[in-house]
Amino acid sequence: MVFDNKYKMTKKVKNANWKDWTWHIRHSIKTLKQFEEITEIKFTPEEKAVLEETIKKFPLSITPYYLSLIDLQNYKTDPVYLQSFPSTKELNVLPHEMTDPLSEDKDSPAPYLTHRYPDRVLLHVSNLCSMYCRHCTRKRKVGDKDSIPSFEELEEAFKYIEKNGKIRDVLLSGGDPLMLSDEYIDKILAKISQIPHIEIIRIGTRTPVVLPYRITPKLIKVLKKYRPLYINTHFNHPRELTNSSKKALTMLADAGIVLGNQSVLLAGVNDCPRIIKTLCQKLVKNRVRPYYLYQCDLSEGLTHFRTPVNKGIEIIESMIGHTTGFARPIYVIDAPGGGGKIPVEPNYIISWGANKVILRNYEGVITTYKEPDFYEATFCNRDCVNCKLQLNLEEANKFSTIGIEKLLSDTDKTISLVPSVNQRMKRRKRNKTNENG
Ligand SMILES: *Cc1c(COP(=O)(O)O)cnc(C)c1O
């Protein structure tokens, strides 16, 4: 990177410092003045006034490493600049935007914990990040005083996980969990991994993208102790895959950590089938499996980043069949109000007869798949021990189903799911009371 060198020249940065992640934290760019000084980009007084206001609400922080990836000649359309430097449009909050669009705080049974799905939880172990993504869904937490909960403060969350035998998957998030010290990460991972019903631990981190030097041999030594460990990172543009970030990914993959990537679809940054496809192909080349492509959440001030949903569908259409199956992320909308991630796909089923389904493929070929004329369905009475399918799961009948799965179940008598606020049901209740009265 050209600017990499320029940065070092202007700031007289020693190579030793440049590779030291703590140096980057100490020298993160947090003010407009610093940014202008280093990049020699000048803003007008009007722009500055708005930007200062913006930073007050949504703080600025860019690691020198990530800043060095900006192409200064074309910074206005640069994907790194757009993701890290505030836009004057951020204060433009629309009525349908929310501070906590995913209701993470409402689904919190213990401090720092979000429990949304039946078998897995999200544990916010810090609100620190080395770089503040402008498109952050948890903007509400950024710039609250930087805080890392102490081990004691996490105690209640640990107790909740220990008591809840259905939880088998703990996802460490934040902020960025890898902003914690190696020792603290070790302590938290040790604590969680000794809970008998926890089968997997995951870490969500953007450090391989914005601060790859954080992935040190010492950190690897800590992470290696815990298996299975999954790490999801957050690359949004092929330009972010530098030699340094590739090296970080290699170290993680070599340590036996399973790597995934979650991207956010962002207008002006990566809302292009070719960009996402190139990104995903480069990721799999580096042993990172694309996991989710997120529709941009309804967090405050992100209007300028949002695309219509059809853009995401168009991108997925350009990938299914066209490239390696596992290079394709699942495009999801995280349900406003806290319903969780909902996959959105192009349609491949064109029609369906009594025993024939009509499908189309990625080339436009329309094909038929003949279904069996005779199929002896396995009636499920939840008695796994006596079932011919030989799962032999004891006490399977104790587990109840929810949602659409409940409607499909053989044993549950439920025939419809009714919203709790339903006028028709309210009327029924009223009529019943009338009859009785
Ligand atoms: C995304 C998320 C998870 C994990 O979901 P997966 O689909 O299993 O990756 C868990 N809890 C919360 C609150 C989440 O937002």
Side-chain angles (χ1 to χ4, degrees):
M1 290 288 146
V2 184
F3 184 58
D4 202 331
N5 298 329
K6 185 167 170 277
Y7 188 101
K8 286 182 198 174
M9 264 158 37
T10 44
K11 300 292 285 182
K12 298 204 169 51
V13 181
K14 289 202 210 80
N15 216 30
N17 284 337
W18 190 255
K19 296 271 161 93
D20 170 7
W21 71 277
T22 61
W23 181 90
H24 284 265
I25 304 288
R26 288 194 302 278
H27 292 82
S28 283
I29 289 80
K30 297 193 180 250
T31 66
L32 275 189
K33 190 156 165 279
Q34 288 171 322
F35 186 86
E36 283 191 322
E37 218 174 81
I38 294 166
T39 60
E40 288 166 16
I41 293 171
K42 293 275 170 278
F43 300 100
T44 65
E46 294 77 34
E47 282 172 329
K48 264 197 213 170
V50 182
L51 288 171
E52 291 289 4
E53 273 309 300
T54 311
I55 291 172
K56 260 190 225 152
K57 186 160 185 208
F58 304 121
L60 163 76
S61 179
I62 315 177
T63 55
Y65 163 79
Y66 199 58
L67 184 89
S68 79
L69 307 186
I70 300 174
D71 170 5
L72 293 179
Q73 258 65 56
N74 303 296
Y75 73 92
K76 282 189 178 162
T77 54
D78 184 279
V80 173
Y81 173 83
L82 292 170
Q83 288 182 73
S84 59
F85 193 80
S87 155
T88 50
K89 296 173 190 147
E90 281 177 40
L91 289 180
N92 188 10
V93 175
L94 297 183
H96 61 271
E97 294 182 328
M98 297 168 259
T99 48
D100 179 15
L102 311 177
S103 297
E104 291 181 322
D105 298 340
K106 279 188 204 143
D107 282 336
S108 178
Y112 308 105
L113 198 72
T114 302
H115 189 183
R116 164 151 312 146
Y117 297 106
D119 66 342
R120 52 211 189 279
V121 290
L122 196 68
L123 185 59
H124 306 264
V125 291
S126 88
N127 83 341
L128 301 191
C129 283
S130 54
M131 193 282 277
Y132 292 150
C133 304
R134 300 323 297 179
H135 55 276
C136 181
T137 186
R138 301 201 182 108
K139 279 191 140 177
R140 68 185 185 282
K141 300 205 187 232
V142 178
D144 285 355
K145 206 163 61 44
D146 282 352
S147 73
I148 296 177
S150 68
F151 202 67
E152 289 67 40
E153 286 174 295
L154 290 173
E155 202 61 52
E156 211 182 315
F158 293 141
K159 284 224 175 77
Y160 179 88
I161 299 169
E162 274 166 351
K163 270 196 291 193
N164 199 324
K166 280 189 182 166
I167 299 172
R168 38 167 289 288
D169 172 3
V170 177
L171 208 170
L172 302 182
S173 184
D176 197 318
L178 296 192
M179 288 293 280
L180 308 179
S181 71
D182 296 344
E183 292 71 26
Y184 197 25
I185 293 169
D186 197 3
K187 201 171 166 188
I188 291 172
L189 289 175
K191 171 78 187 173
I192 297 169
S193 61
Q194 57 80 33
I195 301 173
H197 50 270
I198 298 307
E199 296 171 5
I200 60 172
I201 303 178
R202 310 192 241 178
I203 296 175
T205 176
R206 209 177 180 196
T207 53
V209 187
V210 298
L211 186 56
Y213 311 122
R214 173 64 186 99
I215 311 303
T216 60
K218 193 165 153 256
L219 173 68
I220 291 288
K221 235 174 124 183
V222 169
L223 299 179
K224 236 180 157 166
K225 294 200 285 182
Y226 304 96
R227 295 220 167 148
L229 183 65
Y230 288 72
I231 288 188
N232 266 327
T233 183
H234 175 178
F235 285 89
N236 282 335
H237 194 283
R239 275 266 305 283
E240 295 170 330
L241 277 155
T242 63
N243 287 337
S244 302
S245 69
K246 285 181 195 165
K247 188 172 169 221
L249 296 174
T250 301
M251 288 169 75
L252 292 166
D254 283 351
I257 297 161
V258 188
L259 298 176
N261 185 72
Q262 318 197 121
S263 298
V264 184
L265 181 54
L266 298 169
V269 175
N270 61 10
D271 53 337
C272 157
R274 287 172 71 193
I275 286 182
I276 296 289
K277 190 157 130 190
T278 307
L279 171 68
C280 290
Q281 287 172 340
K282 285 192 173 192
L283 285 169
V284 295
K285 195 171 166 209
N286 287 281
R287 289 183 281 172
V288 182
R289 195 166 159 184
Y291 183 42
Y292 284 137
L293 171 66
Y294 287 98
Q295 173 65 13
C296 186
D297 284 333
L298 295 177
S299 296
E300 290 185 333
L302 301 187
T303 318
H304 57 292
F305 275 134
R306 265 179 231 123
T307 64
V309 175
N310 58 27
K311 185 46 89 173
I313 293 178
E314 181 191 336
I315 288 170
I316 300 302
E317 180 77 64
S318 80
M319 297 187 78
I320 294 179
H322 299 270
T323 190
T324 310
F326 60 77
R328 164 180 87 92
I330 306 169
Y331 175 46
V332 291
I333 300 181
D334 217 332
K341 298 168 187 76
I342 301 172
V344 184
E345 296 249 304
N347 295 323
Y348 289 90
I349 294 184
I350 288 185
S351 196
W352 212 335
N355 53 14
K356 218 188 256 182
V357 56
I358 314 298
L359 307 148
R360 61 100 177 175
N361 83 342
Y362 72 104
E363 302 165 302
V365 170
I366 295 181
T367 189
T368 53
Y369 175 86
K370 172 79 174 65
E371 293 180 292
D373 292 320
F374 303 101
Y375 165 64
E376 193 190 335
T378 308
F379 176 82
C380 177
N381 56 1
R382 298 243 153 201
D383 180 10
C384 286
V385 176
N386 294 308
C387 175
K388 66 172 191 218
L389 294 180
Q390 303 193 9
L391 176 61
N392 294 336
L393 190 67
E394 279 172 35
E395 302 191 277
N397 54 350
K398 278 198 179 160
F399 293 92
S400 60
T401 48
I402 59 168
I404 309 298
E405 189 193 13
K406 189 186 187 79
L407 298 184
L408 289 173
S409 127
D410 286 329
T411 44
D412 199 295
K413 298 281 179 275
T414 312
I415 54 164
S416 57
L417 298 177
V418 183
S420 61
V421 194
N422 180 310
Q423 292 295 334
R424 192 159 55 85
M425 290 302 145
K426 268 194 200 155
R427 267 199 307 277
R428 278 194 192 174
K429 268 192 205 132
R430 219 181 297 137
N431 291 343
K432 209 169 163 196
T433 345
N434 291 347
E435 276 165 32
N436 293 346

Short mmCIF file of all heavy atoms in Angstrom, two decimals, residues 388-425:
data_model
loop_
_atom_site.label_atom_id
_atom_site.label_comp_id
_atom_site.label_asym_id
_atom_site.label_seq_id
_atom_site.Cartn_x
_atom_site.Cartn_y
_atom_site.Cartn_z
N LYS A 388 -37.79 -46.54 14.21
CA LYS A 388 -36.91 -47.32 13.34
C LYS A 388 -35.73 -46.50 12.82
O LYS A 388 -34.75 -47.05 12.32
CB LYS A 388 -37.72 -47.93 12.19
CG LYS A 388 -38.27 -46.87 11.23
CD LYS A 388 -38.89 -47.51 10.00
CE LYS A 388 -39.17 -46.45 9.00
NZ LYS A 388 -40.11 -46.22 8.17
N LEU A 389 -35.80 -45.18 12.96
CA LEU A 389 -34.71 -44.33 12.47
C LEU A 389 -33.49 -44.32 13.40
O LEU A 389 -32.48 -43.70 13.11
CB LEU A 389 -35.19 -42.91 12.21
CG LEU A 389 -36.20 -42.77 11.07
CD1 LEU A 389 -36.62 -41.32 10.90
CD2 LEU A 389 -35.62 -43.27 9.75
N GLN A 390 -33.64 -44.93 14.58
CA GLN A 390 -32.50 -45.21 15.45
C GLN A 390 -31.71 -44.00 15.95
O GLN A 390 -30.48 -44.03 16.02
CB GLN A 390 -31.53 -46.18 14.75
CG GLN A 390 -32.21 -47.45 14.36
CD GLN A 390 -31.23 -48.54 13.96
OE1 GLN A 390 -30.02 -48.38 14.12
NE2 GLN A 390 -31.75 -49.64 13.49
N LEU A 391 -32.38 -42.94 16.27
CA LEU A 391 -31.68 -41.85 16.97
C LEU A 391 -31.46 -42.26 18.42
O LEU A 391 -30.47 -41.87 19.05
CB LEU A 391 -32.50 -40.55 16.86
CG LEU A 391 -31.96 -39.34 17.60
CD1 LEU A 391 -30.58 -38.93 17.08
CD2 LEU A 391 -32.90 -38.15 17.47
N ASN A 392 -32.40 -43.04 18.94
CA ASN A 392 -32.32 -43.54 20.31
C ASN A 392 -32.20 -42.44 21.37
O ASN A 392 -31.59 -42.64 22.41
CB ASN A 392 -31.12 -44.51 20.46
CG ASN A 392 -31.34 -45.77 19.63
OD1 ASN A 392 -32.49 -46.11 19.32
ND2 ASN A 392 -30.27 -46.42 19.25
N LEU A 393 -32.76 -41.31 21.08
CA LEU A 393 -32.69 -40.20 22.03
C LEU A 393 -33.73 -40.39 23.12
O LEU A 393 -34.92 -40.51 22.84
CB LEU A 393 -32.96 -38.90 21.26
CG LEU A 393 -32.72 -37.59 21.97
CD1 LEU A 393 -31.24 -37.40 22.26
CD2 LEU A 393 -33.21 -36.44 21.10
N GLU A 394 -33.26 -40.48 24.35
CA GLU A 394 -34.21 -40.65 25.45
C GLU A 394 -34.88 -39.33 25.80
O GLU A 394 -34.30 -38.28 25.66
CB GLU A 394 -33.47 -41.19 26.68
CG GLU A 394 -33.28 -42.70 26.59
CD GLU A 394 -32.40 -43.24 27.69
OE1 GLU A 394 -32.47 -42.71 28.81
OE2 GLU A 394 -31.64 -44.18 27.41
N GLU A 395 -36.11 -39.43 26.26
CA GLU A 395 -36.88 -38.27 26.71
C GLU A 395 -37.04 -37.20 25.64
O GLU A 395 -37.15 -36.02 25.94
CB GLU A 395 -36.22 -37.65 27.95
CG GLU A 395 -36.11 -38.63 29.09
CD GLU A 395 -35.72 -37.94 30.39
OE1 GLU A 395 -34.53 -37.69 30.61
OE2 GLU A 395 -36.64 -37.62 31.16
N ALA A 396 -37.03 -37.62 24.39
CA ALA A 396 -37.22 -36.65 23.30
C ALA A 396 -38.61 -36.04 23.38
O ALA A 396 -38.84 -34.91 22.95
CB ALA A 396 -37.02 -37.32 21.95
N ASN A 397 -39.54 -36.80 23.95
CA ASN A 397 -40.92 -36.31 24.06
C ASN A 397 -41.05 -35.09 24.97
O ASN A 397 -42.05 -34.39 24.95
CB ASN A 397 -41.85 -37.43 24.52
CG ASN A 397 -41.37 -38.08 25.80
OD1 ASN A 397 -40.25 -37.81 26.24
ND2 ASN A 397 -42.20 -38.91 26.41
N LYS A 398 -39.99 -34.85 25.75
CA LYS A 398 -40.07 -33.70 26.67
C LYS A 398 -39.86 -32.37 25.95
O LYS A 398 -40.25 -31.33 26.44
CB LYS A 398 -39.00 -33.84 27.76
CG LYS A 398 -39.43 -34.76 28.88
CD LYS A 398 -38.57 -34.54 30.09
CE LYS A 398 -39.03 -35.45 31.22
NZ LYS A 398 -37.96 -35.61 32.22
N PHE A 399 -39.20 -32.42 24.79
CA PHE A 399 -38.90 -31.18 24.10
C PHE A 399 -40.10 -30.73 23.28
O PHE A 399 -40.69 -31.51 22.53
CB PHE A 399 -37.67 -31.34 23.22
CG PHE A 399 -36.41 -31.55 24.00
CD1 PHE A 399 -35.97 -32.82 24.30
CD2 PHE A 399 -35.71 -30.46 24.49
CE1 PHE A 399 -34.82 -33.02 25.05
CE2 PHE A 399 -34.56 -30.65 25.25
CZ PHE A 399 -34.11 -31.93 25.53
N SER A 400 -40.46 -29.49 23.43
CA SER A 400 -41.61 -29.00 22.67
C SER A 400 -41.10 -28.25 21.45
O SER A 400 -39.97 -27.79 21.41
CB SER A 400 -42.44 -28.07 23.55
OG SER A 400 -41.63 -26.98 23.94
N THR A 401 -41.96 -28.14 20.46
CA THR A 401 -41.58 -27.41 19.27
C THR A 401 -42.22 -26.02 19.31
O THR A 401 -43.22 -25.80 20.00
CB THR A 401 -42.09 -28.13 18.00
OG1 THR A 401 -43.45 -28.47 18.19
CG2 THR A 401 -41.30 -29.36 17.71
N ILE A 402 -41.64 -25.09 18.56
CA ILE A 402 -42.22 -23.75 18.47
C ILE A 402 -42.33 -23.35 17.01
O ILE A 402 -41.68 -23.92 16.15
CB ILE A 402 -41.41 -22.69 19.26
CG1 ILE A 402 -39.97 -22.64 18.73
CG2 ILE A 402 -41.44 -22.96 20.74
CD1 ILE A 402 -39.20 -21.43 19.25
N GLY A 403 -43.16 -22.34 16.78
CA GLY A 403 -43.24 -21.74 15.46
C GLY A 403 -43.84 -22.66 14.41
O GLY A 403 -44.68 -23.51 14.68
N ILE A 404 -43.38 -22.48 13.19
CA ILE A 404 -43.91 -23.25 12.05
C ILE A 404 -43.62 -24.74 12.25
O ILE A 404 -44.41 -25.60 11.87
CB ILE A 404 -43.29 -22.76 10.72
CG1 ILE A 404 -43.41 -21.24 10.57
CG2 ILE A 404 -43.92 -23.46 9.52
CD1 ILE A 404 -44.81 -20.70 10.53
N GLU A 405 -42.48 -25.03 12.90
CA GLU A 405 -42.12 -26.41 13.18
C GLU A 405 -43.23 -27.09 14.00
O GLU A 405 -43.54 -28.27 13.81
CB GLU A 405 -40.79 -26.44 13.96
CG GLU A 405 -40.22 -27.83 14.12
CD GLU A 405 -39.08 -27.89 15.14
OE1 GLU A 405 -38.88 -26.92 15.89
OE2 GLU A 405 -38.40 -28.92 15.19
N LYS A 406 -43.85 -26.32 14.88
CA LYS A 406 -44.94 -26.83 15.72
C LYS A 406 -46.14 -27.23 14.84
O LYS A 406 -46.75 -28.26 15.03
CB LYS A 406 -45.34 -25.69 16.68
CG LYS A 406 -46.31 -26.03 17.79
CD LYS A 406 -46.66 -24.70 18.49
CE LYS A 406 -47.49 -24.88 19.73
NZ LYS A 406 -46.68 -25.28 20.89
N LEU A 407 -46.44 -26.38 13.84
CA LEU A 407 -47.57 -26.67 12.96
C LEU A 407 -47.31 -27.92 12.11
O LEU A 407 -48.22 -28.64 11.76
CB LEU A 407 -47.84 -25.47 12.03
CG LEU A 407 -48.23 -24.15 12.69
CD1 LEU A 407 -48.56 -23.12 11.63
CD2 LEU A 407 -49.40 -24.32 13.65
N LEU A 408 -46.05 -28.16 11.80
CA LEU A 408 -45.70 -29.31 10.97
C LEU A 408 -45.62 -30.60 11.79
O LEU A 408 -45.63 -31.68 11.23
CB LEU A 408 -44.34 -29.08 10.30
CG LEU A 408 -44.30 -28.03 9.18
CD1 LEU A 408 -42.88 -27.79 8.73
CD2 LEU A 408 -45.16 -28.47 8.00
N SER A 409 -45.57 -30.47 13.11
CA SER A 409 -45.35 -31.65 13.95
C SER A 409 -46.54 -32.60 13.92
O SER A 409 -47.69 -32.21 13.75
CB SER A 409 -45.03 -31.18 15.37
OG SER A 409 -45.88 -31.81 16.30
N ASP A 410 -46.26 -33.90 14.06
CA ASP A 410 -47.31 -34.93 14.02
C ASP A 410 -48.12 -34.99 15.30
O ASP A 410 -49.26 -35.43 15.31
CB ASP A 410 -46.67 -36.30 13.78
CG ASP A 410 -46.21 -36.47 12.34
OD1 ASP A 410 -46.85 -35.88 11.45
OD2 ASP A 410 -45.22 -37.18 12.12
N THR A 411 -47.49 -34.61 16.39
CA THR A 411 -48.15 -34.82 17.69
C THR A 411 -48.85 -33.57 18.22
O THR A 411 -49.83 -33.66 18.94
CB THR A 411 -47.12 -35.29 18.74
OG1 THR A 411 -45.96 -34.48 18.60
CG2 THR A 411 -46.78 -36.74 18.55
N ASP A 412 -48.33 -32.40 17.88
CA ASP A 412 -48.93 -31.18 18.42
C ASP A 412 -50.27 -30.91 17.75
O ASP A 412 -50.42 -31.04 16.55
CB ASP A 412 -47.97 -30.00 18.19
CG ASP A 412 -48.29 -28.83 19.09
OD1 ASP A 412 -49.39 -28.25 18.93
OD2 ASP A 412 -47.47 -28.50 19.97
N LYS A 413 -51.26 -30.54 18.57
CA LYS A 413 -52.61 -30.35 18.02
C LYS A 413 -52.85 -28.93 17.48
O LYS A 413 -53.89 -28.64 16.92
CB LYS A 413 -53.67 -30.64 19.12
CG LYS A 413 -53.62 -32.08 19.64
CD LYS A 413 -54.31 -33.05 18.66
CE LYS A 413 -54.23 -34.48 19.16
NZ LYS A 413 -52.95 -35.15 18.78
N THR A 414 -51.88 -28.06 17.68
CA THR A 414 -52.04 -26.68 17.23
C THR A 414 -52.27 -26.61 15.72
O THR A 414 -51.54 -27.25 14.96
CB THR A 414 -50.77 -25.86 17.55
OG1 THR A 414 -50.41 -26.13 18.90
CG2 THR A 414 -50.98 -24.38 17.36
N ILE A 415 -53.30 -25.86 15.28
CA ILE A 415 -53.52 -25.76 13.84
C ILE A 415 -53.24 -24.36 13.29
O ILE A 415 -53.20 -24.15 12.09
CB ILE A 415 -54.96 -26.17 13.43
CG1 ILE A 415 -55.98 -25.38 14.22
CG2 ILE A 415 -55.15 -27.67 13.58
CD1 ILE A 415 -57.35 -25.44 13.59
N SER A 416 -53.04 -23.39 14.20
CA SER A 416 -52.69 -22.07 13.69
C SER A 416 -51.89 -21.30 14.74
O SER A 416 -52.01 -21.57 15.93
CB SER A 416 -53.95 -21.29 13.31
OG SER A 416 -54.81 -21.20 14.43
N LEU A 417 -51.09 -20.40 14.25
CA LEU A 417 -50.37 -19.51 15.15
C LEU A 417 -51.08 -18.17 15.08
O LEU A 417 -51.29 -17.64 13.99
CB LEU A 417 -48.92 -19.35 14.70
CG LEU A 417 -48.07 -20.62 14.67
CD1 LEU A 417 -46.67 -20.28 14.14
CD2 LEU A 417 -47.95 -21.24 16.06
N VAL A 418 -51.48 -17.65 16.22
CA VAL A 418 -52.26 -16.42 16.23
C VAL A 418 -51.47 -15.32 16.94
O VAL A 418 -50.97 -15.54 18.04
CB VAL A 418 -53.61 -16.65 16.96
CG1 VAL A 418 -54.46 -15.39 16.90
CG2 VAL A 418 -54.34 -17.82 16.33
N PRO A 419 -51.32 -14.18 16.30
CA PRO A 419 -50.62 -13.07 16.97
C PRO A 419 -51.31 -12.73 18.30
O PRO A 419 -52.55 -12.85 18.39
CB PRO A 419 -50.76 -11.91 15.99
CG PRO A 419 -51.19 -12.50 14.70
CD PRO A 419 -51.86 -13.79 15.00
N SER A 420 -50.52 -12.36 19.29
CA SER A 420 -51.12 -12.10 20.61
C SER A 420 -52.05 -10.90 20.56
O SER A 420 -53.01 -10.81 21.30
CB SER A 420 -50.02 -11.88 21.65
OG SER A 420 -49.24 -10.78 21.26
N VAL A 421 -51.75 -9.95 19.65
CA VAL A 421 -52.66 -8.82 19.51
C VAL A 421 -53.50 -9.06 18.24
O VAL A 421 -53.06 -8.76 17.15
CB VAL A 421 -51.89 -7.49 19.38
CG1 VAL A 421 -52.83 -6.31 19.58
CG2 VAL A 421 -50.75 -7.42 20.36
N ASN A 422 -54.65 -9.66 18.39
CA ASN A 422 -55.47 -10.00 17.24
C ASN A 422 -56.92 -9.62 17.53
O ASN A 422 -57.55 -10.15 18.44
CB ASN A 422 -55.34 -11.52 16.99
CG ASN A 422 -56.15 -11.99 15.79
OD1 ASN A 422 -57.33 -11.68 15.68
ND2 ASN A 422 -55.52 -12.74 14.92
N GLN A 423 -57.43 -8.70 16.77
CA GLN A 423 -58.78 -8.17 16.99
C GLN A 423 -59.83 -9.27 17.00
O GLN A 423 -60.73 -9.33 17.82
CB GLN A 423 -59.15 -7.15 15.90
CG GLN A 423 -58.36 -5.86 15.95
CD GLN A 423 -58.62 -5.06 17.22
OE1 GLN A 423 -59.68 -5.17 17.83
NE2 GLN A 423 -57.64 -4.27 17.64
N ARG A 424 -59.66 -10.20 16.03
CA ARG A 424 -60.64 -11.28 15.87
C ARG A 424 -60.70 -12.13 17.16
O ARG A 424 -61.78 -12.49 17.64
CB ARG A 424 -60.21 -12.14 14.69
CG ARG A 424 -61.22 -13.13 14.19
CD ARG A 424 -60.89 -13.53 12.75
NE ARG A 424 -59.52 -14.05 12.61
CZ ARG A 424 -59.19 -15.32 12.84
NH1 ARG A 424 -60.10 -16.19 13.19
NH2 ARG A 424 -57.95 -15.72 12.70
N MET A 425 -59.52 -12.44 17.73
CA MET A 425 -59.48 -13.26 18.94
C MET A 425 -60.06 -12.49 20.13
O MET A 425 -60.72 -13.05 20.99
CB MET A 425 -58.04 -13.69 19.25
CG MET A 425 -57.52 -14.70 18.26
SD MET A 425 -58.54 -16.18 18.19
CE MET A 425 -58.43 -16.59 16.45
#
